[in-house]
Amino acid sequence: MGNEQLLDLWLKTLALLEPKLQRSQFITWFKDTTILSREDKTVVIGLPLPMFLNWHLEHYHAMTREALLTVDPTTEKIVYRVDVSLKEDVTRTVNLLDHFPETKRRKLPNRYEVKLAEGLTSKIINPRYAIENFVVGPNNRLAHAACSAVAKQPGGKYNPLFLYGGVGLGKTHLLQATGNSILKQNPHATVVYATTEDFTNQVVEAIRSQKMDQFRRRYRQVDVLIIDDVQFLANKDRTQEEFFHTFNSLYEERKQIIISSDRPPEELSSLQDRIVSRFEKGMIADVQQPDYETRLAILNEKAKEYELFIDTKVLEFIAEHATKNVRELEGILMQAVAQYELEHCMPTVKSIADIMRKLSKDPYGVENVAAEAIEKGPDRAHTFEDVIEGVSRYYSVSVQDMIGASRVRDILMPRQIAMFISKKYLRMSYVRIGEAFSHRDHTTVMHAVDKIEKKLQEDSQLLREIRAIEKEVGLAV
Ligand code: ADP
Ligand code: MG
């Protein structure tokens, strides 16, 4: 068979494999592969690297065999041969990106509002957060056990349940996982997950529209109330007042209440004493920073979730060096995914080290901001959701409007700023940002980023606003 026929045979085989595999798997493991020869009913599949050999034999051989037999039923034998020159020689391999362009659209994680009952809203609980995929270590064992117990018996012994700990250590994960688990067992339960900020906004709105009675009635129908980051109740007296009443009436009816905070109750000094003493009546559990083994276990879990095949050495390297919190670990892993998709290269210790270096430095070009940010060691491992929510809060526009199609002027600027921050700090590609904003074209994103970059050079007010948002989101100190 000539080269062209071999390529054609391989292309047809790949076309059968592609729909069966995750995109990242397909691209990673079938890039630079080919059929080297086909003689005497023996097909020789060429692989570009020695490490591919085992992987193909273990994971893809059966599939490849089936596909090949469908395309060419006379095939009797399949062998694999490593040929490192395949990496350089594009004439012998199939260009996967040309032949299999990405069509599948990534969905934005659901963190937006849902209506539970007339006037009663909750953030959508992210289904990705489950008690089962929360990795237990010495740092979070108690919190995990308490959440599991609450999930089994809401309104039981551990009420209220109060979780506290630093940023990015898994509080929101546990809270939402508990809500998820309760809903799974009892789909009719009214589970409200709200950030303290959501709750505050609702109180403010109720006051404004003079519908406080309605507000109270609504909250009293709740079976499980989950309030995240309660430290933000500080100095909000009226909201604290309402929170206290809601808390009491739910508590008296043996409804489950779950709270998180960045510090233990006794340190919530700007909260009313009566509230703090309610918290202290229940179960209190902390989450601490994970140790090395737990970090490694979390990385393994996340890699599995994202279907990333990363060398154990690389994961160990990350676990060793990313010690701050779990969000940082995850951030680095997500960067590795992005690199995968853009450059189609397997993460190596070196590429991860580069990513980590970039994550801890490389702010945008405005010099003094950059210098200051570097000095204070900004925390860059944040998610797109953090950014979009931060911008939405800052400009008081809804997340939905911002990522949606609205062309209203008031929305345009925040949207462009969100795109700009995503690009600069999260290092998302233009294409990915475009997708996140309701599948906009990547050129729209490029335009937005350029525009903000230019504006920043002369508009010091804008610079201040962006810095404020970055601070809010935790991207700069
Ligand atoms: P917090 O609310 O405490 O700031 P999050 O719950 O948002 O932190 O956690 C940050 C990220 O880290 C989330 O994506 C979460 O899934 C992940 N995470 C934290 N701890 C764990 C853990 N023990 N096992 C698995 N994932 C974790
Ligand atoms: Mg949180």
Side-chain angles (χ1 to χ4, degrees):
M1 261 191 188
N3 188 25
E4 229 159 84
Q5 285 166 300
L6 293 174
L7 273 180
D8 185 58
L9 179 58
W10 190 228
L11 183 58
K12 286 185 177 134
T13 308
L14 289 174
L16 294 176
L17 289 169
E18 194 252 2
K20 294 190 179 157
L21 293 167
Q22 287 288 328
R23 176 113 189 130
S24 58
Q25 293 181 12
F26 178 69
I27 299 286
T28 308
W29 295 106
F30 287 89
K31 187 176 181 273
D32 301 330
T33 59
T34 194
I35 294 181
L36 292 170
S37 68
R38 187 192 177 288
E39 272 160 36
D40 300 332
K41 300 178 183 168
T42 298
V43 172
V44 181
I45 296 179
L47 304 173
L49 288 171
M51 68 176 292
F52 275 44
L53 193 55
N54 249 336
W55 199 274
H56 270 264
L57 288 174
E58 250 176 61
H59 298 273
Y60 302 130
H61 177 65
M63 237 186 249
T64 306
R65 185 185 168 77
E66 192 193 324
L68 246 177
L69 278 170
T70 310
V71 181
D72 177 4
T74 65
T75 307
E76 276 179 7
K77 199 169 162 202
I78 299 176
V79 295
Y80 296 85
R81 185 175 308 145
V82 176
D83 179 346
V84 289
S85 71
L86 285 175
K87 257 194 136 24
E88 265 74 59
D89 190 355
V90 291
T91 61
R92 289 158 70 209
T93 55
V94 175
N95 185 331
L96 296 186
L97 299 182
D98 283 355
H99 287 281
F100 305 97
E102 181 160 27
T103 49
K104 207 175 66 198
R105 293 295 179 183
R106 212 173 303 280
K107 271 207 232 128
L108 253 190
N110 287 330
R111 283 238 326 243
Y112 310 126
E113 300 256 288
V114 272
K115 206 163 154 193
L116 291 178
E118 191 48 41
L120 189 64
T121 56
S122 164
K123 280 266 172 75
I124 293 178
I125 295 185
N126 190 337
R128 198 166 67 78
Y129 294 140
I131 292 189
E132 295 75 31
N133 67 11
F134 189 81
V135 175
V136 185
N139 59 312
N140 57 30
R141 199 176 300 284
L142 181 64
H144 176 265
C147 287
S148 309
V150 164
K152 277 202 196 90
Q153 203 197 355
K157 267 198 304 204
Y158 299 142
N159 199 20
L161 171 59
F162 187 99
L163 296 187
Y164 73 90
V167 135
L169 296 178
K171 300 182 298 296
T172 298
H173 184 135
L174 277 174
L175 254 48
Q176 296 214 358
T178 311
N180 263 331
S181 172
I182 293 172
L183 277 172
K184 213 188 253 166
Q185 295 162 65
N186 182 1
H188 298 296
T190 307
V191 176
V192 170
Y193 168 86
T195 62
T196 297
E197 197 164 356
D198 300 330
F199 189 82
T200 306
N201 289 342
Q202 289 170 28
V203 171
V204 171
E205 176 55 26
I207 295 171
R208 195 193 59 79
S209 57
Q210 301 187 323
K211 289 190 175 144
M212 214 58 233
D213 284 349
Q214 226 176 35
F215 172 89
R216 290 181 189 139
R217 263 201 314 280
R218 280 169 188 156
Y219 261 91
R220 311 232 156 135
Q221 329 157 25
V222 169
D223 298 310
V224 178
L225 179 63
I226 306 174
I227 303 280
D228 208 348
D229 286 323
V230 83
Q231 73 274 9
F232 292 128
L233 274 181
N235 305 321
K236 293 178 180 141
D237 280 345
R238 189 61 208 272
T239 309
Q240 289 192 28
E241 177 84 28
E242 286 312 319
F243 177 79
F244 180 72
H245 292 305
T246 303
F247 184 104
N248 281 343
S249 63
L250 291 178
Y251 183 76
E252 271 159 29
E253 297 205 27
R254 303 186 141 270
K255 302 295 179 62
Q256 180 69 46
I257 300 160
I258 313 174
I259 308 287
S260 86
S261 155
D262 67 348
R263 63 201 82 176
E266 69 269 19
E267 285 174 28
L268 286 166
S269 51
S270 32
L271 259 59
Q272 297 166 7
D273 288 345
R274 55 183 185 164
I275 294 184
V276 173
S277 71
R278 288 294 186 284
F279 292 159
E280 286 171 336
K281 272 211 280 192
M283 169 74 185
I284 300 173
D286 64 338
V287 287
Q288 299 286 343
Q289 293 196 337
D291 58 14
Y292 171 78
E293 286 76 13
T294 311
R295 293 200 296 276
L296 189 57
I298 291 173
L299 281 170
N300 272 309
E301 171 68 35
K302 299 283 169 186
K304 207 173 76 199
E305 255 171 55
Y306 294 116
E307 303 199 30
L308 274 174
F309 305 102
I310 300 194
D311 199 82
T312 317
K313 286 238 161 15
V314 175
L315 292 183
E316 285 167 2
F317 177 83
I318 302 177
E320 218 168 284
H321 292 91
T323 54
K324 197 145 119 219
N325 61 41
V326 182
R327 195 169 292 163
E328 186 192 20
L329 284 179
E330 225 179 356
I332 293 167
L333 215 53
M334 292 322 290
Q335 297 292 331
V337 178
Q339 202 172 47
Y340 236 16
E341 292 180 350
L342 291 174
E343 293 157 28
H344 309 293
C345 61
M346 298 282 296
T348 58
V349 168
K350 179 175 177 329
S351 72
I352 294 286
D354 286 343
I355 288 174
M356 290 175 71
R357 241 193 314 280
K358 282 179 197 150
L359 284 173
S360 64
K361 284 187 185 139
D362 193 51
Y364 52 84
V366 189
E367 267 176 337
N368 47 353
V369 179
E372 200 177 310
I374 289 174
E375 193 128 286
K376 293 185 176 161
D379 170 4
R380 292 282 150 73
H382 282 69
T383 64
F384 175 69
E385 293 157 64
D386 295 335
V387 169
I388 196 96
E389 286 184 0
V391 176
S392 129
R393 267 201 302 272
Y394 190 84
Y395 291 110
S396 302
V397 296
S398 80
V399 167
Q400 254 134 344
D401 280 348
M402 207 156 38
I403 60 177
S406 168
R407 304 276 313 157
V408 180
R409 281 195 87 196
D410 292 352
I411 308 274
L412 282 184
M413 189 65 143
R415 184 183 292 145
Q416 292 177 337
I417 289 173
M419 289 175 173
F420 170 81
I421 296 179
S422 305
K423 179 73 196 154
K424 287 298 168 190
Y425 281 105
L426 306 183
R427 317 199 121 240
M428 289 166 74
S429 68
Y430 290 117
V431 174
R432 272 171 71 108
I433 297 173
E435 282 178 0
F437 284 88
S438 309
H439 311 309
R440 282 180 167 77
D441 194 76
H442 69 279
T443 50
T444 310
V445 182
M446 286 165 85
H447 174 73
V449 173
D450 283 351
K451 195 171 146 198
I452 299 293
E453 228 154 35
K454 275 208 197 80
K455 251 187 129 157
L456 269 177
Q457 305 297 330
E458 55 209 26
D459 184 344
S460 60
Q461 171 62 25
L462 180 65
L463 179 59
R464 272 196 296 278
E465 290 178 8
I466 291 187
R467 291 179 68 174
I469 295 166
E470 288 164 1
K471 227 183 206 167
E472 260 281 307
V473 177
L475 288 165
V477 192

